[in-house]
Amino acid sequence: MIVKIKPAKGYLTHNLNFFTSMNPYCFLYLGKQFNKTSPDYGGGIKPKWTETIEFKIDNIFKVGIEIWAKSMVGADNLIGQGMLDLRKLHLKLGHKT
């Protein structure tokens, strides 16, 4: 089965940059599969993304989600992270497993 995830927007609690807005992007992973959105340059604490990310589901149902700030100099910075259990989402949508 293929699952499509579309990170639409974020509401972040803090800006890691002192003088400019952050350039956030989403990094998603499911088992050994991973992908990321393009950075929302200047998106700051309210970024928006347009990409749809696809994963093949076998026996792993928890998608890891990380929000990163793209750095123009040095390493990118982790803003926050979480997990999405696709089985719970599936049940909330009214589908039977």
Side-chain angles (χ1 to χ4, degrees), residues 30-47:
L30 178 68
K32 294 181 181 181
Q33 303 172 76
F34 58 90
N35 207 332
K36 64 181 178 180
T37 65
S38 298
D40 180 6
Y41 289 101
I45 61 171
K46 294 184 180 178

Side-chain angles (χ1 to χ4, degrees), residues 1-3 30 33 55-61 63 86:
M1 176 172 33
I2 301 290
V3 65
L30 178 68
Q33 303 172 76
F55 291 110
K56 182 179 178 186
I57 298 178
D58 289 322
N59 289 322
I60 300 173
F61 296 96
V63 176
L86 297 175

Side-chain angles (χ1 to χ4, degrees), residues 24-89:
Y25 64 90
C26 287
F27 178 83
L28 295 102
Y29 56 92
L30 178 68
K32 294 181 181 181
Q33 303 172 76
F34 58 90
N35 207 332
K36 64 181 178 180
T37 65
S38 298
D40 180 6
Y41 289 101
I45 61 171
K46 294 184 180 178
K48 296 178 182 175
W49 303 284
T50 58
E51 294 97 338
T52 298
I53 296 173
E54 294 184 6
F55 291 110
K56 182 179 178 186
I57 298 178
D58 289 322
N59 289 322
I60 300 173
F61 296 96
K62 289 189 179 181
V63 176
I65 304 169
E66 298 177 351
I67 308 298
W68 289 81
K70 179 75 175 160
S71 178
M72 299 306 207
V73 178
D76 295 352
N77 298 301
L78 180 64
I79 301 170
Q81 60 189 352
M83 296 292 286
L84 174 63
D85 188 336
L86 297 175
R87 293 172 294 190
K88 291 181 181 179
L89 180 62

Side-chain angles (χ1 to χ4, degrees), residues 9-39:
K9 56 187 167 182
Y11 296 100
L12 309 175
T13 59
H14 57 283
N15 188 348
L16 298 179
N17 295 348
F18 291 109
F19 301 109
T20 60
S21 293
M22 295 183 297
N23 305 313
Y25 64 90
C26 287
F27 178 83
L28 295 102
Y29 56 92
L30 178 68
K32 294 181 181 181
Q33 303 172 76
F34 58 90
N35 207 332
K36 64 181 178 180
T37 65
S38 298

